[in-house]
């Protein structure tokens, strides 16, 4: 007697529900866990990522032609960024290898160079006008495995996609936080990572109102220019001393805490996964629809 096989639509719906649940719970676990204190993350940090990686392999094997709908794609992006951001001081499952990280940095630098080459000096903030002399010394703090500058493009993409999917007020919060993230990434690059010359500042702010991260719209140039000028020292004050003052400001110091809050807000804005509702005893008969839309 031939074994019965699950209906493909039902199979995809169930697997999507499981994946949505894993993405949701894994993101919350990472956001709620305290940052790793040592050079390696704990099992509480690694296990959620391993579970998602394992199930994604099964999912893509079982459904090779299935496209992720925008809400599910956003959940994947939220978890990816959350893992890189919260564990950036410790190597983990999601940390790029040294070769991959070097290639990633070359890609980011090339993107910034292309943006600057096409920038109109008369429009808004001309980043090519700014020069940053080498600092006498960087901070004694060890540099992170991944810098804020490394994760900035992913955060821009995440904030832009969230803005498209959810609109206001998430779009406004994301736009304002991206500007602060750029400033914080620049400060960290010079004070902690030992960057020299204007490259880090230019790369951090080389994002326009169109194209990748095109959620910015009217007013972005002025907002970006204000962020850049905040990092330029007053006449007579050294760059290192000035960036030290900027680092202590609320706008830069609180970025990491505010990014965590923003990520938590994105998770809350998503539809509660069906399996989470079932765990809570809140799932009615309508929870499993016939159209494969099973939460997220």
């Amino acid at each position: 007697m031939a074994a019965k096989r699950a209906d493909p639509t039902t199979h995809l719906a169930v697997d999507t529900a499981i994946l949505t649940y894993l993405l949701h719970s894994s993101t919350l676990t990472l956001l709620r866990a305290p940052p790793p204190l040592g050079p390696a993350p704990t099992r509480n940090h690694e296990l959620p990522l391993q579970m998602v990686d394992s199930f994604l392999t099964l999912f893509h094997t079982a459904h090779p032609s299935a496209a992720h709908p925008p809400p599910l794609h956003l959940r994947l992006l939220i978890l990816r960024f959350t893992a890189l951001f919260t564990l950036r001081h410790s190597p983990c499952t999601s940390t790029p290898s040294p070769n991959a990280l070097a290639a990633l940095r070359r890609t980011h630098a090339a993107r910034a160079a292309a943006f600057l080459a096409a920038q109109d000096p008369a429009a808004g903030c001309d980043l090519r006008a700014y020069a940053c002399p080498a600092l006498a010394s960087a901070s004694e703090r060890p540099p992170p495995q991944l810098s804020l500058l490394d994760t900035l493009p992913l955060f821009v993409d995440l904030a832009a996609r969230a803005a498209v999917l959810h609109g206001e007020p998430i779009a406004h919060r994301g736009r304002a936080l991206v500007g602060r993230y750029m400033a914080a990434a620049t400060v960290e690059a010079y004070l902690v990572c030992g960057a020299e010359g204007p490259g880090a500042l230019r790369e951090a702010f080389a994002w326009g109102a169109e194209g990748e991260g095109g959620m910015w719209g009217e007013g972005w140039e002025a907002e970006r220019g204000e962020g850049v000028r905040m990092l330029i020292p007053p006449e007579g004050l050294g760059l290192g001393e000035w960036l030290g003052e900027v680092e202590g400001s609320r706008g830069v110091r609180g970025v990491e805490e505010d990014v965590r809050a923003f990520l938590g807000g994105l998770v809350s804005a998503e539809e509660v996964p069906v399996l989470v509702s079932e765990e809570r005893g809140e799932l009615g008969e309508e929870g499993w629809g016939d159209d494969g839309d099973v939460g997220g």
Side-chain angles (χ1 to χ4, degrees), residues 243-268:
L243 290 185
E245 292 187 16
V246 172
E247 185 184 33
S249 69
R250 176 66 181 86
V252 170
R253 187 183 69 252
V255 161
E256 297 206 32
E257 177 184 338
D258 290 346
V259 167
R260 280 177 171 266
F262 179 70
L263 294 171
L266 290 183
V267 174
S268 298

Side-chain angles (χ1 to χ4, degrees), residues 85-130:
F85 180 77
T86 59
L87 301 176
R88 68 191 191 92
H89 292 279
S90 303
C92 66
T93 300
S94 60
T95 303
S97 67
N99 288 340
L101 184 56
L104 184 70
R105 288 171 175 170
R106 288 194 296 270
T107 299
H108 293 174
R111 180 206 57 77
F115 173 85
L116 294 171
Q119 188 183 25
D120 181 0
C125 169
D126 182 11
L127 296 175
R128 292 169 296 185
Y130 295 105

Side-chain angles (χ1 to χ4, degrees), residues 58 82 124-125 131 145 170 172 190 233 252 257 262-263 276 282:
L58 295 175
T82 299
C125 169
Q145 296 286 325
I170 284 178
H172 174 74
Y190 289 108
V252 170
E257 177 184 338
F262 179 70
L263 294 171
V276 172
E282 300 171 350

Side-chain angles (χ1 to χ4, degrees), residues 56-75:
L56 272 174
T57 300
L58 295 175
F59 185 95
H60 291 144
T61 300
H63 314 286
S65 61
H68 297 315
L72 185 60
H73 183 79
L74 181 61
R75 288 184 190 271

Side-chain angles (χ1 to χ4, degrees), residues 141-163:
R141 286 174 291 168
Q145 296 286 325
L146 283 174
S147 69
L148 291 175
L149 196 60
D150 292 329
T151 58
L152 173 60
L154 186 59
F155 186 61
V156 171
D157 186 29
L158 169 60
R161 290 178 186 274

Side-chain angles (χ1 to χ4, degrees), residues 20-87:
T20 301
Y21 171 80
L22 289 174
L23 293 172
H24 177 88
S25 58
S26 297
T27 301
L28 289 181
T29 297
L30 289 172
L31 289 175
R32 290 167 179 169
L37 298 178
T42 67
R43 186 172 182 272
N44 288 338
H45 296 96
E46 287 281 77
L47 186 59
L49 301 178
Q50 293 168 355
M51 291 174 63
V52 170
D53 284 344
S54 296
F55 191 78
L56 272 174
T57 300
L58 295 175
F59 185 95
H60 291 144
T61 300
H63 314 286
S65 61
H68 297 315
L72 185 60
H73 183 79
L74 181 61
R75 288 184 190 271
L76 285 162
L77 192 59
I78 291 171
L79 178 60
R80 181 186 175 199
F81 175 78
T82 299
L84 292 175
F85 180 77
T86 59
L87 301 176

